[in-house]
Amino acid sequence: MQQKRSKRYRAAAEQVDRKKAYSLNDAVATLKKFPPTKFDQTVTVSFRLGVDPKQSDQMVRGTCALPHGSGKHVRVGAEHVGFKDLIQKVQEGFQDFDVAVATPAAMAEVRKLGKVLGPRGLMPNPKAGTVADDTAKAVDEVKAGRVEFKLDKNGNVAVPVGKFSFEEKALVENGNAVIEAIVRARPATAKGRYVDAMTLSATMSPGLKLDPSPYLAGQAA
């Protein structure tokens, strides 16, 4: 059964040139002309990558600092400072945080929370920058708008780059940072075309196809 699109969505879709691969600047400018929603939508860049997600050596994962932040208020586990007392609190059901940060030395104990943190994707991880000796710095980076990205089982990655209310320049600069981070994260074992497709969209908007070629100079497209 086909989902019936709203009048607002159809009006936005009419502004999209389906045959065009937009530059990021043009895509953001077009997106900002779409009819607004009643809430501040999250703007996302989505990637379809030419890697095999079943191969552990082709995993694409990392973090990216957004120059203008994410627009999201992040509750960090390390703001509730503690060690064994905090671990016990989490085991007892405390979940009032969106990110957990731990030192390498603490990980032996923190791993006991795998059944609690794992399903929420909150287990601290060195690749995500959430296992660090300098936890204060890690917390500052997370709160400033560092986003994490990870390849899904279908070879796709979706990364938020800000809110619809952001200025065009902020969305473009955040988007550039994310695209460059994904390109840098290309696994050494990836063969052939790495970025198959890139799309810019907001929560309730149609997607705009992006041209990846400016970001892929000097490597196999």
Side-chain angles (χ1 to χ4, degrees):
M1 183 172 155
Q2 191 170 3
Q3 182 183 3
K4 188 176 180 183
R5 298 293 190 182
S6 68
K7 185 177 178 182
R8 188 201 61 78
Y9 185 99
R10 293 196 302 273
E14 287 172 5
Q15 299 182 46
V16 179
D17 183 345
R18 298 283 176 194
K19 297 176 183 176
K20 179 178 178 180
Y22 289 80
S23 69
L24 183 59
N25 290 61
D26 287 348
V28 168
T30 302
L31 186 79
K32 293 284 282 182
K33 291 173 186 166
F34 289 169
T37 57
K38 292 177 181 176
F39 68 100
D40 196 5
Q41 302 173 79
T42 297
V43 179
T44 301
V45 178
S46 302
F47 303 81
R48 190 170 71 242
L49 301 179
V51 296
D52 184 351
K54 295 189 180 75
Q55 303 299 321
S56 60
D57 61 355
Q58 293 196 30
M59 174 53 66
V60 177
R61 181 173 188 173
T63 60
C64 174
L66 299 179
H68 301 278
S70 64
K72 177 184 175 185
H73 173 67
V74 181
R75 301 167 303 164
V76 184
E79 289 182 333
H80 305 277
V81 179
F83 185 32
K84 292 193 177 179
D85 56 331
L86 184 56
I87 288 172
Q88 184 178 348
K89 193 176 174 184
V90 173
Q91 285 173 327
E92 292 170 354
F94 173 70
Q95 293 195 0
D96 191 23
F97 55 93
D98 302 302
V99 179
V101 176
T103 63
M107 282 306 294
E109 290 292 324
V110 174
R111 286 192 186 93
K112 294 176 183 176
L113 299 175
K115 288 183 179 177
V116 181
L117 299 180
R120 290 183 64 205
L122 295 179
M123 180 58 77
N125 184 295
K127 287 190 176 178
T130 47
V131 175
D133 283 310
D134 189 346
T135 53
K137 181 183 176 188
V139 169
D140 286 344
E141 288 178 355
V142 169
K143 291 180 72 65
R146 189 182 68 190
V147 289
E148 182 180 353
F149 56 84
K150 185 180 179 183
L151 189 74
D152 71 14
K153 62 182 180 181
N154 297 313
N156 301 317
V157 178
V159 191
V161 296
K163 295 290 186 178
F164 193 86
S165 60
F166 281 22
E167 295 287 333
E168 285 184 27
K169 181 173 180 283
L171 286 172
V172 169
E173 290 180 2
N174 279 359
N176 275 325
V178 164
I179 296 168
E180 287 166 5
I182 293 288
V183 170
R184 282 196 305 272
R186 175 180 181 145
T189 53
K191 300 286 192 291
R193 187 179 178 86
Y194 175 52
V195 178
D196 280 339
M198 277 191 331
T199 307
L200 178 81
S201 64
T203 311
M204 304 288 287
S205 86
L208 294 144
K209 182 181 174 186
L210 295 173
D211 177 12
S213 59
Y215 304 93
L216 301 172
Q219 63 168 276

